[in-house]
Amino acid sequence: MMVHGRIRRRRLMAAGAAAGALAPIGTFGQTLDWPSKPVRFVCGYAAGGLTDLFARLAAEHFTTRYGRPFIVENRTGAGSIIAGDIVAKSSPDGYTLLFTNSTAMFQNQVVFKSVPYDAARDFTPVSMLSAGKVPLCIHASVPGNNDLAALVTYARKNRTSFGTTGIGSLAHIFCMKLNDTFGIEMEPVHYRGEAPMWADLSSGVTQAACSTLQGAWAAIQAGNARPVAVPTRTRSRRLPDVGTYYEQGATHPYLLLESMVCCVAPTGTPAPVVEALSAGMVEMNAQPRMREFVDKFGLDEGAQDRASFATFIREMGPLLTQAVRELNIEPQ
């Protein structure tokens, strides 16, 4: 619980520091011979998701900012390991960066037998974007109110499938911790992406699912899904009538875990380049398209700088890794 509080406090401090981080970017851009050629943003996930859209907004912003092409290259597969391997082995010169998420940064070391890079050793943080308060939704056929009790009551009497976006994902952690908390036996069903997961929930193939608000929105609007809980202590501003896990009696610290998407550079990338990229990400928050993006996905804030990202890695990373380890997953 104290860890979560510290994260919230440092975010308030980071918000004040962000303005100061903007000042050096002009100096860096004028004195560095960077970028002098196209920059690759290697994205470990498919087009259209939160990670990809963050990368594309950043590419657009930096292309305008520097007058050089910043190009998004989607290299999907193996939980972002393929993309991570490409960037980890690339030259640390600021021309190849990775856009990925917290699963790839922390959980993959538990989920997979062999990961060809060490995230802590091979990458340096540039910027992160909180994935927001991911809603737990239930199918419209589940009786009861728009609360966690409806799912728990149903699961005690019926076979219940719980859709996740992959082994070791936050949804997987939440499913198993809810089972432990309420003495139920929901079965996690793992998908390779949000679209098929929400499609199955909408049609009633599964009874519950959890991922981004934007991914769930069509199913909610169509009346096929009902949001019943969100993680973290405060409610989602897009779903103000939906209670948190915590206020509905699910108080285990793992139900307060947060996920994020991020940009990292190969270790050894010149510090002024990393600073320029980090400050540019924060500067991007003032753009109308970025503000629209943050609102659309129900996020509480925009891109955060490298110092805030480093704090997330230090404080939240070990909890995410330990939570997956406790699932006793057989490494793939």
Side-chain angles (χ1 to χ4, degrees):
M1 302 299 182
M2 292 298 295
V3 168
H4 188 78
R6 289 199 299 273
I7 291 173
R8 285 298 177 207
R9 287 194 294 274
R10 60 90 175 161
R11 283 182 174 172
L12 291 173
M13 293 186 289
L22 295 179
I25 192 167
T27 303
F28 291 149
Q30 293 164 10
T31 61
L32 284 179
D33 184 26
W34 177 94
S36 60
K37 62 181 182 180
V39 177
R40 281 200 307 164
F41 286 167
V42 181
C43 180
Y45 294 91
L50 184 64
T51 309
D52 172 76
L53 291 173
F54 181 38
R56 292 184 186 279
L57 284 169
E60 180 181 292
H61 174 72
F62 283 109
T63 296
T64 301
R65 180 72 173 80
Y66 287 105
R68 296 283 186 180
F70 284 70
I71 302 164
V72 177
E73 179 181 322
N74 297 91
R75 298 297 294 270
T76 63
S80 197
I81 288 177
I82 292 173
D85 190 35
I86 290 170
V87 176
K89 292 176 178 175
S90 67
S91 176
D93 54 11
Y95 290 96
T96 305
L97 295 103
L98 174 67
F99 277 76
T100 187
N101 65 16
S102 48
T103 299
M105 292 292 290
F106 308 118
Q107 289 105 300
N108 275 357
Q109 62 182 296
V110 180
V111 173
F112 293 95
K113 291 179 181 178
S114 177
V115 178
Y117 57 82
D118 182 318
R121 180 194 65 211
D122 295 333
F123 300 125
T124 188
V126 173
S127 178
M128 64 164 277
L129 180 75
S130 169
K133 296 176 173 66
V134 293
L136 167 60
C137 294
I138 60 176
H139 187 254
S141 65
V142 176
N145 299 319
N146 294 349
D147 56 25
L148 196 55
L151 175 61
V152 172
T153 299
Y154 181 89
R156 284 179 174 152
K157 301 175 182 177
N158 304 276
R159 181 176 178 178
T160 303
S161 297
F162 190 117
T164 87
T165 50
I167 296 173
S169 64
L170 271 188
H172 188 190
I173 295 169
F174 293 163
C175 174
M176 304 313 289
K177 191 49 62 180
L178 289 172
N179 283 348
D180 291 345
T181 299
F182 294 107
I184 53 181
E185 296 182 357
M186 295 185 293
E187 179 183 1
V189 179
H190 306 299
Y191 294 83
R192 293 190 176 185
E194 282 195 77
M197 183 194 73
W198 290 120
D200 274 3
L201 179 72
S202 292
S203 63
V205 173
T206 57
Q207 290 72 51
C210 179
S211 192
T212 68
L213 176 58
Q214 181 59 22
W217 197 244
I220 294 171
Q221 290 291 90
N224 296 321
R226 307 193 328 258
V228 296
V230 294
T232 72
R233 289 186 183 275
T234 59
R235 296 188 178 193
S236 166
R237 58 188 177 83
R238 287 276 302 277
L239 298 171
D241 297 328
V242 178
T244 66
Y245 287 114
Y246 193 88
E247 66 184 287
Q248 296 184 75
T251 59
H252 193 280
Y254 289 170
L255 292 166
L256 294 172
L257 289 174
E258 301 176 40
S259 63
M260 55 82 186
V261 298
C262 62
C263 174
V264 296
T267 295
T269 299
V273 174
V274 174
E275 290 282 1
L277 286 161
S278 176
M281 296 286 188
V282 176
E283 181 185 63
M284 182 172 66
N285 291 333
Q287 300 297 321
R289 287 195 64 191
M290 185 64 178
R291 293 197 298 268
E292 179 183 349
F293 169 75
V294 168
D295 183 65
K296 183 177 180 181
F297 277 84
L299 310 181
D300 290 330
E301 54 193 320
Q304 298 175 55
D305 65 14
R306 69 184 189 92
S308 297
F309 185 10
T311 302
F312 183 97
I313 291 171
R314 185 173 63 252
E315 296 184 348
M316 186 63 70
L319 291 177
L320 287 165
T321 302
Q322 182 60 29
V324 177
R325 187 168 286 118
E326 290 180 12
L327 295 175
N328 295 315
I329 297 167
E330 182 67 30
Q332 301 178 55

